[in-house]
Amino acid sequence: MTTHRFIPTIFHNVIGSLPVALRIASGDTVVTETLDAIGYDKDGIRRASGPNPMNGPIFVEGAEAGDALKVDIISMTPTRGTGFTRSIVAANVVDPETVRGLPPRDTALWTIDREALTVRLSEPVAGLENFVLPLAPMIGCFGVAPALAQAISTATSGEYGGNMDYRLFGPGTTVRFPISAPGALFFLGDCHAVQGDGEIVGTGIETSFEVTVRLTVEKKSGLVWPRGETAEDIFTIGNARPLDQALQHATSEMLNWLASDYGLDRTAASHLLGQVVRYDVGNVFDPAYTMACRVAKKWLAGRS
Amino acid sequence: MTTHRFIPTIFHNVIGSLPVALRIASGDTVVTETLDAIGYDKDGIRRASGPNPMNGPIFVEGAEAGDALKVDIISMTPTRGTGFTRSIVAANVVDPETVRGLPPRDTALWTIDREALTVRLSEPVAGLENFVLPLAPMIGCFGVAPALAQAISTATSGEYGGNMDYRLFGPGTTVRFPISAPGALFFLGDCHAVQGDGEIVGTGIETSFEVTVRLTVEKKSGLVWPRGETAEDIFTIGNARPLDQALQHATSEMLNWLASDYGLDRTAASHLLGQVVRYDVGNVFDPAYTMACRVAKKWLAGRS
Amino acid sequence: MTTHRFIPTIFHNVIGSLPVALRIASGDTVVTETLDAIGYDKDGIRRASGPNPMNGPIFVEGAEAGDALKVDIISMTPTRGTGFTRSIVAANVVDPETVRGLPPRDTALWTIDREALTVRLSEPVAGLENFVLPLAPMIGCFGVAPALAQAISTATSGEYGGNMDYRLFGPGTTVRFPISAPGALFFLGDCHAVQGDGEIVGTGIETSFEVTVRLTVEKKSGLVWPRGETAEDIFTIGNARPLDQALQHATSEMLNWLASDYGLDRTAASHLLGQVVRYDVGNVFDPAYTMACRVAKKWLAGRS
Amino acid sequence: MTTHRFIPTIFHNVIGSLPVALRIASGDTVVTETLDAIGYDKDGIRRASGPNPMNGPIFVEGAEAGDALKVDIISMTPTRGTGFTRSIVAANVVDPETVRGLPPRDTALWTIDREALTVRLSEPVAGLENFVLPLAPMIGCFGVAPALAQAISTATSGEYGGNMDYRLFGPGTTVRFPISAPGALFFLGDCHAVQGDGEIVGTGIETSFEVTVRLTVEKKSGLVWPRGETAEDIFTIGNARPLDQALQHATSEMLNWLASDYGLDRTAASHLLGQVVRYDVGNVFDPAYTMACRVAKKWLAGRS
């Protein structure tokens, strides 16, 4: 199991079947530095343009269509002391007539204290004088090359992953993506220091990161949509509009997972989910919205 | 402050401007026994038909259109040892083509242990032998008479409340409803022993309860949608389809609340919500879906 | 078969089980004068308030829950020379970010030429100097009392009809509503001189009308949603949000109608609809949107 | 102005920045033969796989990002005597609970009479013995390379066009696409002999065609979404889910067009659209739905 330090010289605004930037064995670890969502690096130098420039693709040996790529998010360390957000909720998350009264969109700067592991607005805002957030890193956009040799904008997402902007995609989480292309062709970027549900201002706190992931091929997986796992929970992801359809995808994927790995038929899975399921809104801003269907592992003990 | 024991003889399948069943002063407490969602009482006797027969209306003196009715949910005690659920996820929460493979809808019985405060399936289900849930009571359907002297089915919901099926509507929570009719005309019923997000099997664990609430009129409130408060959080409710619109209503209401009560203008509120908001799916089954927009009080300390 | 001249003294902002205003036999004709959407009559006197004050309810003898009420729209004559519209497309029919650039909402006056049967803006608007529309009357809001003794705002719609704002609801069209209450309890009002698809400015050209309808009870009908018929077409109506769900309701109702009345099983009906169906957007403004599923009668010749 | 006969040897399942198959001058005409949606040619030989294999890309000299590609659909002639459809309405166009009762999906064959210009089911279906449709050819999938060097599945659509399945895309119609890549890179395929609104069985009558189009570059066009023109109408296209969002895109694009080319400001355009707009459902089956916003040219006379 090798650890690769991956320093990209080219960044991509699509996820797809592009020329391989790094080739690794299944089970290897990759350490890489990501740009922020509009292409600035740790030194504040613009090295690419938006949306969401990606590091990759990483070819994982042995990966074939139909397999799953397991991604262990091992660590995420911000590499500079500043981040930015948009300053107003997006027009699509408020009532249509309410949009008329929204202030114009602007950008706000945030200060990241890498010792204290906190984030705060760089300029004071009335009413938020004491608003200091714990650093909560997450990957906004990552995934594998989609089917049919497509190359899809990093603004959006699909079965292959992409710009899901879900706050549980942070250190300690394991994610599995359904593979469509030989080598899987993994991409990542667009990391956030903090983000609420829904990414409703259209950004998290966008900054540059050093990210460490371990990439492992699992054969014949049966995944249609991404699946994730934290210490406490398992979850599935659906990406679509409206949120209703994203929820349908995530729920259908969870039913399949509970059947194949936990021995729960549709009825047993319905009894379980009906009383304990949790739904999280990943993003409600990007062209495809993201909904997670989440179940605490304690309800599944001894079954996997 | 009086405590009223309210024993209804008539139950209602609509929420609206109906003949008053009980008249109380603002600040009074009401203890009442609710039927389950299809009308069975604590003795297993059917006393009404569905959907969701309501206790009420309760006229609160001094309440006028434009005021808010504050409802403190003080306690909820199940009054029998059994509950029921539907046994299969609803067709609208899975991918349309997946519906073809769902088993037929059936009903399952659950046993409520009122000493241990737990709930479990009455008949064993393979894979769920150890599935024992802590009792987590919540009110499925409650609210006040809607505007225009409407009378609306207890299957659905709106600005006035109704069948929201949100699991945070339990003991310890305070809810405020926007009042449209003199006396507010408060209704409640359809209580659940447990329920997951979304009420995705079409029911929680449906049973009869003794519920204690305190009802207080607050003048000139500015509410458009219901607002709630727990020990940790404040939240707003939007009821509509699709989920996207429910989320727009809830977010717009939260922006208004943060402005009026917490001194946060649109920009400050956007900075706050963008990084800390949580969205909960109340129900994704009823004619109107329910989305809650929730903020931890710790971010609001010293502001209200 | 009697003709009744119905001059209401009370108007209603809900459709529901209200005190009967007129009692007729099945097959009788009713001539009545409607107010405009905000309550002005033919003389410009405000006789009621909005939304959409209704004439009714009309009790039709012999009507029972489960029957259909057949409504023949015989004639509609505007009773004054002016109408009004809102002057800007509604916020919900444009892209959310586009709402920021919309002018403020205002009202425009239109002149109805009752000799020439045309309508034009009363004040000149640059670019629309020659914009003269043929009069195309339609009923914006009509229907029968909904189930469960509900009383529902005339701003919205459902299985029982209501504020559908569909331009084919004009003279020569026959509509059937599913009956839920004894006597059917028919209401109508909110007539438009002209209206495009979707009612996207939030109004048609709103004015007062004399309307003649014939009301006939049909026993044991099997309707879930309204059904209509013109000289050329049959159509079904779905009312819901989003448009996708309205379309699902209308399509499901058409499949049922083709099976029961035209002998087409699901496969035959799919072959037919797949190649010849037309969908019309009734309204995309009201709380429930309206979609019509329409089939030309020429494809059904000799089958009913 | 040259006419090119374009005989592709490679077909594509994505629309994107792929190696150029044909290079033409602006204003040239192209005659080409398309495969059916699953790759069969006029001789019934499978030459490609689905979804929707495309002829192209065609590089049009002088085309740059920001321009529009004008596509005149000159003629469409079916090249074989058979077509196929799916035999059951798609699960997503009926009520979710109705899906349980749908028959399994199958395929039906249709006979195309190229003399009579009619289409009928090849095997008799009870109730449809006399169901003979006039041939009504249309292009299901066409467009230009999307932005960011994306390559997107021909199953779906976007600003660049794609799989819109709108029945007005037939001979005599002119379409304009917003160009994102040098040379525009035009693709077409997936032609239908007939199709109803919405493509609700998941197909039109799928067959092979000879298609003649003229491709002309227009500089600095200002298009965001496709725009079309028939003898009677102008229309704009929005591609998204739900239908509500597709309608928002199409309406916003129409407002822009009416402003730039017809001198109608937002208010004048609102007066016009409010009373005369027509909405057509292109498809309600593909990953992105398609809605057209259509206005009769007679209302625009003398303005362009």
Side-chain angles (χ1 to χ4, degrees):
Chain A
M1 303 303 170
T2 311
T3 295
H4 305 262
R5 183 149 199 106
F6 173 39
I7 308 295
T9 52
I10 300 173
F11 298 86
H12 301 286
N13 299 115
V14 297
I15 293 181
S17 293
L18 303 182
V20 172
L22 176 69
R23 181 179 282 263
I24 67 170
S26 174
D28 283 359
T29 295
V30 177
V31 183
T32 194
E33 292 183 14
T34 58
L35 307 181
D36 70 23
I38 54 173
Y40 289 85
D41 71 5
K42 62 185 171 187
D43 301 314
I45 297 170
R46 189 159 203 180
R47 303 196 45 211
S49 55
N52 302 326
M54 291 285 108
N55 298 19
I58 300 173
F59 185 104
V60 187
E61 288 167 2
E64 296 171 301
D67 298 341
L69 184 68
K70 183 172 84 160
V71 180
D72 295 299
I73 307 173
I74 294 170
S75 68
M76 298 180 66
T77 308
T79 54
R80 68 180 200 232
T82 58
F84 72 89
T85 60
R86 292 191 189 163
S87 61
I88 279 294
V89 291
N92 64 299
V93 305
V94 298
D95 292 329
E97 287 293 348
T98 299
V99 176
R100 294 172 180 273
L102 291 181
R105 274 206 323 213
D106 200 353
T107 296
L109 289 180
W110 298 68
T111 300
I112 301 167
D113 184 329
R114 289 182 281 168
E115 299 279 305
L117 303 179
T118 58
V119 189
R120 62 163 72 210
L121 283 157
S122 302
E123 301 287 331
V125 169
L128 296 181
E129 291 78 4
N130 303 311
F131 189 51
V132 182
L133 290 157
L135 186 70
M138 53 164 279
I139 305 176
C141 184
F142 65 149
V144 296
L148 294 172
Q150 289 179 89
I152 297 180
S153 166
T154 54
T156 192
S157 61
E159 286 94 333
Y160 63 93
N163 194 31
M164 298 176 283
D165 290 313
Y166 176 40
R167 64 185 166 76
L168 287 200
F169 287 140
T173 295
T174 294
V175 190
R176 287 171 174 83
F177 295 104
I179 294 175
S180 296
L185 302 179
F186 178 74
F187 295 75
L188 91 167
D190 179 35
C191 298
H192 303 165
V194 182
Q195 187 207 288
D197 278 1
E199 201 196 30
I200 64 171
V201 294
T203 66
I205 298 176
E206 309 283 337
T207 190
S208 56
F209 272 88
E210 182 182 275
V211 181
T212 302
V213 291
R214 183 170 48 240
L215 304 178
T216 310
V217 177
E218 296 181 339
K219 304 305 288 184
K220 303 284 169 263
S221 68
L223 272 73
V224 177
W225 289 96
R227 297 177 182 177
E229 192 172 341
T230 67
E232 293 81 24
D233 294 315
I234 68 169
F235 62 85
T236 53
I237 295 289
N239 301 316
R241 280 199 190 193
L243 280 172
D244 310 30
Q245 191 185 0
L247 182 147
Q248 290 173 338
H249 293 326
T251 307
S252 299
E253 183 73 16
M254 182 58 82
L255 288 172
N256 289 344
W257 195 2
L258 293 175
S260 64
D261 286 28
Y262 296 92
L264 299 179
D265 67 12
R266 287 290 183 265
T267 300
S270 295
H271 287 318
L272 180 81
L273 295 180
Q275 307 314 321
V276 307
V277 74
R278 295 293 178 266
Y279 287 107
D280 296 330
V281 175
N283 90 78
V284 64
F285 172 77
D286 304 323
Y289 295 159
T290 295
M291 183 75 82
C293 175
R294 185 162 52 85
V295 177
K297 287 179 173 177
K298 67 181 169 189
W299 305 117
L300 301 164
R303 269 186 220 104
S304 181
Chain B
M1 303 304 170
T2 310
T3 294
H4 307 261
R5 184 150 197 104
F6 172 41
I7 308 295
T9 53
I10 300 173
F11 298 86
H12 300 286
N13 300 115
V14 297
I15 293 181
S17 292
L18 304 181
V20 171
L22 176 69
R23 181 179 283 261
I24 67 170
S26 175
D28 282 0
T29 295
V30 176
V31 183
T32 193
E33 291 183 15
T34 59
L35 307 180
D36 70 23
I38 55 174
Y40 289 86
D41 72 4
K42 62 185 172 186
D43 300 314
I45 297 167
R46 189 160 203 179
R47 305 196 44 211
S49 55
N52 303 324
M54 292 285 107
N55 298 20
I58 301 174
F59 185 103
V60 187
E61 288 166 2
E64 295 170 301
D67 298 342
L69 183 69
K70 182 172 86 158
V71 180
D72 296 299
I73 307 173
I74 293 169
S75 69
M76 297 181 66
T77 308
T79 53
R80 67 181 201 233
T82 58
F84 71 90
T85 60
R86 292 191 190 163
S87 61
I88 279 295
V89 290
N92 63 300
V93 305
V94 298
D95 292 328
E97 287 293 347
T98 298
V99 175
R100 295 173 178 273
L102 291 181
R105 277 208 319 214
D106 200 353
T107 297
L109 289 179
W110 298 69
T111 300
I112 300 167
D113 184 330
R114 290 183 281 169
E115 300 279 303
L117 303 180
T118 58
V119 189
R120 62 164 71 211
L121 283 156
S122 302
E123 300 288 330
V125 169
L128 296 181
E129 291 79 3
N130 303 312
F131 188 52
V132 182
L133 290 158
L135 186 70
M138 52 164 278
I139 304 175
C141 184
F142 64 149
V144 295
L148 294 172
Q150 290 180 88
I152 297 180
S153 166
T154 55
T156 192
S157 59
E159 285 95 335
Y160 63 94
N163 194 30
M164 299 176 282
D165 290 312
Y166 176 40
R167 63 185 166 77
L168 288 200
F169 287 140
T173 295
T174 294
V175 190
R176 287 172 173 83
F177 294 104
I179 294 175
S180 296
L185 301 179
F186 177 75
F187 295 76
L188 92 167
D190 179 36
C191 297
H192 303 163
V194 182
Q195 188 207 286
D197 278 1
E199 202 195 31
I200 64 172
V201 295
T203 65
I205 298 176
E206 308 283 337
T207 192
S208 56
F209 272 87
E210 181 182 275
V211 181
T212 303
V213 291
R214 183 171 47 239
L215 304 179
T216 310
V217 177
E218 296 181 339
K219 304 306 287 184
K220 303 283 171 263
S221 68
L223 273 73
V224 177
W225 290 95
R227 298 178 181 177
E229 192 172 342
T230 67
E232 294 80 27
D233 293 316
I234 67 169
F235 62 85
T236 53
I237 295 290
N239 301 317
R241 280 201 191 191
L243 281 173
D244 311 30
Q245 191 184 359
L247 181 147
Q248 290 173 339
H249 293 325
T251 307
S252 299
E253 184 74 15
M254 182 58 81
L255 288 173
N256 289 344
W257 195 1
L258 292 176
S260 64
D261 286 28
Y262 296 93
L264 299 178
D265 67 13
R266 287 289 183 264
T267 300
S270 295
H271 287 318
L272 180 83
L273 295 179
Q275 306 316 319
V276 307
V277 74
R278 295 293 177 265
Y279 287 107
D280 295 331
V281 176
N283 89 78
V284 64
F285 172 78
D286 304 323
Y289 295 159
T290 297
M291 183 74 81
C293 175
R294 184 163 53 84
V295 177
K297 287 180 174 175
K298 65 180 168 188
W299 305 118
L300 301 164
R303 264 184 227 108
S304 182
Chain C
M1 303 303 170
T2 311
T3 294
H4 305 262
R5 185 152 196 103
F6 172 40
I7 309 294
T9 52
I10 299 173
F11 298 86
H12 300 285
N13 300 115
V14 298
I15 294 181
S17 292
L18 303 182
V20 171
L22 175 70
R23 180 179 284 259
I24 68 171
S26 175
D28 282 0
T29 295
V30 176
V31 184
T32 193
E33 292 183 15
T34 58
L35 307 181
D36 69 22
I38 55 175
Y40 288 85
D41 71 5
K42 61 185 171 186
D43 300 315
I45 298 168
R46 190 159 203 179
R47 303 193 46 211
S49 55
N52 302 326
M54 292 285 107
N55 298 19
I58 300 173
F59 184 103
V60 187
E61 287 167 3
E64 295 171 302
D67 298 341
L69 183 69
K70 182 172 84 158
V71 180
D72 296 299
I73 307 173
I74 294 170
S75 69
M76 298 181 66
T77 307
T79 53
R80 67 178 201 234
T82 57
F84 70 90
T85 60
R86 292 191 190 164
S87 62
I88 278 295
V89 291
N92 63 301
V93 305
V94 298
D95 293 327
E97 287 292 348
T98 298
V99 176
R100 295 173 179 273
L102 292 180
R105 277 207 321 213
D106 201 352
T107 297
L109 289 180
W110 299 68
T111 300
I112 300 168
D113 184 331
R114 289 182 282 169
E115 300 279 304
L117 303 179
T118 57
V119 189
R120 63 165 70 214
L121 283 157
S122 302
E123 301 288 331
V125 168
L128 296 181
E129 290 78 4
N130 304 312
F131 189 53
V132 182
L133 290 159
L135 187 70
M138 52 164 279
I139 305 176
C141 184
F142 65 150
V144 296
L148 293 172
Q150 291 179 87
I152 298 180
S153 166
T154 55
T156 193
S157 61
E159 287 94 334
Y160 63 94
N163 194 30
M164 299 176 283
D165 290 311
Y166 175 41
R167 64 185 166 77
L168 288 200
F169 286 140
T173 294
T174 294
V175 190
R176 287 172 174 84
F177 295 103
I179 295 175
S180 295
L185 302 180
F186 178 75
F187 295 76
L188 92 166
D190 180 35
C191 298
H192 303 164
V194 182
Q195 187 207 288
D197 278 1
E199 201 196 31
I200 64 173
V201 295
T203 66
I205 298 176
E206 310 283 336
T207 190
S208 56
F209 273 88
E210 181 182 274
V211 182
T212 303
V213 292
R214 184 170 48 240
L215 304 178
T216 310
V217 176
E218 296 181 340
K219 304 305 289 183
K220 302 287 170 261
S221 69
L223 274 72
V224 177
W225 290 95
R227 297 177 182 178
E229 192 172 342
T230 67
E232 294 80 25
D233 293 316
I234 67 168
F235 62 85
T236 53
I237 295 290
N239 301 317
R241 281 202 190 189
L243 281 172
D244 311 29
Q245 192 184 359
L247 181 148
Q248 291 173 338
H249 293 326
T251 307
S252 299
E253 184 73 17
M254 181 59 81
L255 288 172
N256 288 344
W257 195 2
L258 293 175
S260 64
D261 286 27
Y262 296 92
L264 299 179
D265 68 11
R266 287 289 183 266
T267 299
S270 295
H271 287 320
L272 180 81
L273 295 180
Q275 307 315 320
V276 308
V277 74
R278 296 292 178 265
Y279 286 107
D280 296 329
V281 175
N283 90 78
V284 62
F285 172 77
D286 304 323
Y289 294 159
T290 295
M291 183 74 83
C293 175
R294 184 163 52 85
V295 178
K297 286 178 173 176
K298 66 179 169 187
W299 305 118
L300 302 165
R303 262 183 227 109
S304 181
Chain D
M1 303 302 171
T2 310
T3 295
H4 305 262
R5 184 151 197 103
F6 172 39
I7 310 296
T9 53
I10 299 173
F11 298 86
H12 300 286
N13 300 116
V14 296
I15 293 180
S17 293
L18 303 181
V20 172
L22 175 69
R23 179 180 285 260
I24 67 171
S26 174
D28 283 359
T29 295
V30 177
V31 184
T32 193
E33 292 183 14
T34 59
L35 308 180
D36 70 20
I38 56 175
Y40 289 85
D41 72 6
K42 62 184 171 186
D43 300 314
I45 297 168
R46 189 160 203 178
R47 304 192 49 208
S49 55
N52 302 326
M54 291 286 108
N55 297 20
I58 300 174
F59 185 104
V60 187
E61 287 167 3
E64 296 171 301
D67 298 342
L69 185 68
K70 182 172 84 159
V71 180
D72 295 299
I73 307 174
I74 294 169
S75 69
M76 298 181 65
T77 309
T79 54
R80 68 180 201 232
T82 57
F84 71 90
T85 59
R86 292 190 190 164
S87 61
I88 279 294
V89 291
N92 64 298
V93 305
V94 298
D95 292 329
E97 287 293 347
T98 298
V99 176
R100 295 172 178 272
L102 291 181
R105 277 208 319 215
D106 200 353
T107 297
L109 289 180
W110 298 67
T111 300
I112 301 168
D113 185 330
R114 288 182 282 169
E115 300 279 304
L117 303 179
T118 57
V119 189
R120 63 165 69 213
L121 283 157
S122 303
E123 301 288 331
V125 168
L128 296 181
E129 291 78 4
N130 303 313
F131 189 51
V132 183
L133 290 158
L135 187 70
M138 52 164 279
I139 304 175
C141 184
F142 65 148
V144 295
L148 293 173
Q150 290 179 88
I152 298 180
S153 167
T154 54
T156 193
S157 61
E159 285 95 334
Y160 63 95
N163 194 32
M164 298 176 283
D165 291 312
Y166 175 41
R167 64 185 166 77
L168 288 200
F169 287 139
T173 295
T174 294
V175 190
R176 288 172 173 84
F177 294 104
I179 296 175
S180 295
L185 303 179
F186 178 73
F187 295 75
L188 92 168
D190 179 36
C191 297
H192 303 164
V194 182
Q195 187 207 287
D197 278 1
E199 201 196 33
I200 66 172
V201 295
T203 65
I205 298 177
E206 309 282 337
T207 191
S208 55
F209 272 88
E210 181 182 275
V211 181
T212 302
V213 291
R214 184 171 46 240
L215 304 179
T216 310
V217 177
E218 295 181 339
K219 305 305 290 184
K220 301 284 170 266
S221 69
L223 274 73
V224 176
W225 290 94
R227 297 177 182 179
E229 191 171 342
T230 67
E232 293 81 26
D233 294 316
I234 67 169
F235 62 84
T236 53
I237 295 289
N239 301 315
R241 280 202 191 190
L243 281 172
D244 312 29
Q245 191 184 359
L247 182 147
Q248 290 173 339
H249 292 326
T251 307
S252 299
E253 184 72 18
M254 182 59 82
L255 288 173
N256 288 343
W257 195 2
L258 293 176
S260 63
D261 287 27
Y262 296 93
L264 299 178
D265 67 13
R266 287 290 183 265
T267 299
S270 295
H271 288 318
L272 180 82
L273 295 179
Q275 306 315 321
V276 307
V277 75
R278 295 293 177 265
Y279 287 107
D280 296 330
V281 176
N283 90 79
V284 63
F285 173 76
D286 303 322
Y289 294 160
T290 295
M291 184 73 83
C293 175
R294 186 163 51 85
V295 177
K297 286 179 175 178
K298 66 180 168 189
W299 305 119
L300 302 165
R303 267 186 223 107
S304 181

